[in-house]
Amino acid sequence: MARRSPQEKKQLSYAKDRRNSYGENDKASRKNLPRKRARVHRANRHRAHTDLRGAIGLLDVEASDAAEVRLRGRRPKTFAKHPDVPLAVHVRWQLSRRQAD
């Protein structure tokens, strides 16, 4: 078996290694994905809590309607995990972003 050059080794590594869309490897995403998902849900709960806080107290139809309109008037933040891509694709995408800036 012929020895591989460093460039060939790098290409093989790029083909085998898979990264998620956040740039970390799959083991780091075990921590980062739940953290990012929790941040989104926490922001949504905080927004709903602050909007509904104005409707607390005596029954006031106008205040409760205004709180509901504020709550429904803003789209909640979302979180989605995108499928993993080969490292070569991820590096190419990162380099194209840097060149565009």
Side-chain angles (χ1 to χ4, degrees), residues 21-32:
S21 61
Y22 308 102
E24 298 100 9
N25 63 25
D26 57 341
K27 291 171 182 63
S29 67
R30 290 180 190 155
K31 297 177 194 169
N32 291 331

Side-chain angles (χ1 to χ4, degrees), residues 29-73:
S29 67
R30 290 180 190 155
K31 297 177 194 169
N32 291 331
L33 291 178
R35 186 182 309 141
K36 290 179 188 225
R37 183 173 46 238
R39 183 180 299 147
V40 167
H41 292 311
R42 189 177 308 119
N44 290 337
R45 282 193 310 269
H46 177 72
R47 174 72 181 186
H49 180 72
T50 56
D51 284 345
L52 293 176
R53 194 178 317 155
I56 294 176
L58 296 174
L59 183 59
D60 185 7
V61 177
E62 291 179 13
S64 61
D65 287 342
E68 185 176 358
V69 167
R70 279 194 310 273
L71 183 62
R72 295 181 186 269

Side-chain angles (χ1 to χ4, degrees), residues 3 5-8 14 22 26 30 41-42 47 62-63 69 73 75-76 78 83 97 99:
R3 291 184 59 161
S5 69
Q7 290 82 8
E8 290 172 330
Y14 275 18
Y22 308 102
D26 57 341
R30 290 180 190 155
H41 292 311
R42 189 177 308 119
R47 174 72 181 186
E62 291 179 13
V69 167
R75 187 175 61 210
T78 59
R97 281 185 52 210
Q99 290 172 354

